[in-house]
Amino acid sequence: MEILIIFLVVFGIIVLQGPVIKWYNYLYEKRQYKLFLAQETFYHAIVAQHLKYYNRLSVDDQHKFLFRAYLFKKAKKFHYIEVEERAEMPILISAVAVQLTFKLEKYLFNFFKDIYVLKDDYHYGFYSRPFEGHVDHSGIYLSWDKFIKGVKGLTPSWNMGLHEMGHALAYVNFISQTEEDKHFKKEFKNFSKVARPIFESMQNGRKNLLGDYAGTNYHEFWAVSVEVFFENPIRMRHDMPELYAAMSSLLRQDIIEMLNINKLAA
Ligand SMILES: [Zn+2]
């Protein structure tokens, strides 16, 4: 009899765990949504001023985008090292993460609780060359100077924030496996069918639009592909059409189509 009760209790916990967590998340988001509405205008002012990507979205998508950015920021602890904290910093960092994952279901990078904002290039660990940003088990690290240059489009073809968020997205899906996005994981195999041969050709000395750094290892190839996809989509589709298409299906975003829709609407 006792065994049956224990079995039923354990079974009940296992079966109910999913729906209870879902219900809790639903209530949490509902409560946060009200708080978000009070701040939406502020978020909009900051994001619209800096992010071209955001300005190309429809009004409904902008609303969804900002709420995601709000929840992302809320879920992180931001640390400022040798840099003076300003209100726009965590909002823009959250917005860049949301840009990358906007058409995916999962977007919180739940493994990472801490984001470190540093002044400029910094030294890390035993490496002698300065870092602009990196991601490891302890958090996401970004140099503010490089981050804001990327956001403002001052560094053609590269965007350090998107690059590091690319690493973080791969991390939660493949390394910590704590926030797996079904579509992303499944489609990544198809992405690799296209991307691996390009990466291998780079290791054999072939040059292309992605630049030498993308040939360092497959992690960097992925992160650089993210940057170029968002920052230089027309050139990428022209030079590397298969990689552009693979990236587009993987992230469920077609940046060139977004540009065209915007032109038609203008
Ligand atoms: Zn990298």
Side-chain angles (χ1 to χ4, degrees), residues 59-94:
V59 172
D60 283 352
D61 272 353
Q62 286 189 341
H63 180 69
K64 183 184 163 194
F65 184 101
L66 293 182
F67 185 44
R68 278 191 168 199
Y70 172 86
L71 289 175
F72 184 96
K73 174 178 171 279
K74 197 100 195 153
K76 308 295 169 210
K77 188 162 171 40
F78 288 84
H79 307 263
Y80 303 90
I81 297 162
E82 291 181 4
V83 63
E84 204 185 316
E85 176 181 352
R86 286 202 306 273
E88 81 240 33
M89 291 172 166
I91 294 177
L92 286 175
I93 291 168
S94 304

Side-chain angles (χ1 to χ4, degrees), residues 42-43 46-47 50 72-73 78-97 115-119 142-145 147-148 151 165:
F42 181 60
Y43 268 63
I46 288 172
V47 179
H50 291 90
F72 184 96
K73 174 178 171 279
F78 288 84
H79 307 263
Y80 303 90
I81 297 162
E82 291 181 4
V83 63
E84 204 185 316
E85 176 181 352
R86 286 202 306 273
E88 81 240 33
M89 291 172 166
I91 294 177
L92 286 175
I93 291 168
S94 304
V96 166
I115 296 184
Y116 296 86
V117 186
L118 301 104
K119 191 171 181 295
L142 306 160
S143 109
W144 179 252
D145 187 53
F147 176 88
I148 200 70
V151 165
M165 295 309 170

Side-chain angles (χ1 to χ4, degrees), residues 71-178:
L71 289 175
F72 184 96
K73 174 178 171 279
K74 197 100 195 153
K76 308 295 169 210
K77 188 162 171 40
F78 288 84
H79 307 263
Y80 303 90
I81 297 162
E82 291 181 4
V83 63
E84 204 185 316
E85 176 181 352
R86 286 202 306 273
E88 81 240 33
M89 291 172 166
I91 294 177
L92 286 175
I93 291 168
S94 304
V96 166
V98 168
Q99 174 178 339
L100 172 62
T101 56
F102 192 47
K103 297 290 170 175
L104 300 178
E105 196 190 327
K106 305 281 175 70
Y107 61 95
L108 287 174
F109 300 164
N110 69 356
F111 179 83
F112 300 103
K113 306 280 181 256
D114 297 288
I115 296 184
Y116 296 86
V117 186
L118 301 104
K119 191 171 181 295
D120 200 343
D121 295 357
Y122 55 95
H123 287 270
Y124 162 69
F126 298 110
Y127 298 97
S128 56
R129 90 181 166 81
F131 273 73
E132 292 170 359
H134 74 275
V135 169
D136 68 16
H137 65 278
S138 63
I140 299 172
Y141 296 74
L142 306 160
S143 109
W144 179 252
D145 187 53
K146 289 288 183 313
F147 176 88
I148 200 70
K149 278 184 182 152
V151 165
K152 286 182 175 167
L154 297 175
T155 47
S157 251
W158 53 269
N159 180 318
M160 189 272 271
L162 280 171
H163 179 109
E164 299 311 328
M165 295 309 170
H167 283 312
L169 176 62
Y171 200 102
V172 294
N173 275 282
F174 300 113
I175 298 175
S176 69
Q177 299 186 337
T178 47

Side-chain angles (χ1 to χ4, degrees), residues 191 194-195 198 210 221 225 229 236 240-248:
F191 169 79
V194 173
I198 301 174
L210 301 180
F221 180 93
S225 299
F229 176 72
M236 190 190 211
M240 312 172 92
E242 289 184 337
L243 188 66
Y244 179 85
M247 215 47 209
S248 187

Side-chain angles (χ1 to χ4, degrees), residues 245-263:
M247 215 47 209
S248 187
S249 331
L250 178 60
L251 296 174
R252 291 180 142 153
Q253 305 202 44
D254 188 335
I255 301 302
I256 295 173
E257 197 179 301
M258 251 174 106
L259 286 165
N260 290 340
I261 288 169
N262 199 38
K263 261 186 222 151

Side-chain angles (χ1 to χ4, degrees), residues 43-55:
Y43 268 63
H44 173 80
I46 288 172
V47 179
Q49 196 194 334
H50 291 90
L51 235 65
K52 307 193 283 292
Y53 174 93
Y54 173 80
N55 291 315

